[in-house]
Amino acid sequence: MKDNLLALAGAIVGGTIGFFGFGWLLGQGFYALVLPGGLMGIGAGWVFNRSIFVAIICGVTATALGLVAEWNFRPFNADDSLGFYFRHLGDLQPITFLMIVLGGAIGFWVPYRRLKRATE
C-alpha cells in the first residue's frame, strides 16, 4: 500500500512539473504536449508498486492532464471556457491528439513496467 501511495505521489509531482513545463516551453515556441502525461508516468515509475490500478489511474489521469494543459495554455479564441473546449475537441489538430494520447500511454506504461509481480 505504501508503495502505491508513493507512486501516486510521484505521479502528482511529475504531472505538476510537466504541466508547468509545457506552459514554459510553449512560451519558448516549443509544443511539448506529451510532457505533462509523460512526466506523470515517469514520476510514478520511480517506485516499484504491486497494483495495476496505479498504472491505470496514471494513464487516465495523464490523458486528462494533457487535455487540461492544452485548454489552459491554448484555449479557443471564441470562448475560453472548459465546457466549450470539450464540446469542440473535434476542432483540435491531429498532432494535439497524438501528443495527448502519447502522454497518456507513457503515463500508463512506465508505472506498468515497474509492477512487482507476485512471484518476485
Side-chain angles (χ1 to χ4, degrees):
M1 181 68 162
K2 180 180 78 167
D3 294 337
N4 296 340
L5 292 176
L6 285 173
L8 291 174
I12 291 169
V13 171
T16 302
I17 292 170
F19 182 84
F20 291 109
F22 167 67
W24 180 75
L25 286 172
L26 191 62
Q28 305 300 314
F30 295 101
Y31 188 66
L33 189 54
V34 73
L35 204 60
L39 286 182
M40 177 176 274
I42 290 171
W46 279 87
V47 179
F48 284 104
N49 64 75
R50 294 192 178 271
S51 177
I52 186 72
F53 294 112
V54 171
I56 293 170
I57 289 169
C58 286
V60 170
T61 308
T63 304
L65 184 61
L67 287 168
V68 170
E70 172 71 13
W71 162 73
N72 187 57
F73 293 107
R74 292 186 43 178
F76 286 114
N77 290 333
D79 185 356
D80 63 355
S81 70
L82 186 59
F84 184 85
Y85 177 79
F86 280 116
R87 284 191 306 271
H88 291 86
L89 281 178
D91 297 339
L92 297 175
Q93 297 295 319
I95 190 68
T96 301
F97 288 117
L98 179 67
M99 294 185 101
I100 290 171
V101 168
L102 185 59
I106 294 169
F108 170 80
W109 182 251
V110 174
Y112 178 75
R113 72 175 176 83
R114 301 283 291 178
L115 280 176
K116 284 186 182 179
R117 306 292 184 221
T119 58
E120 293 180 12

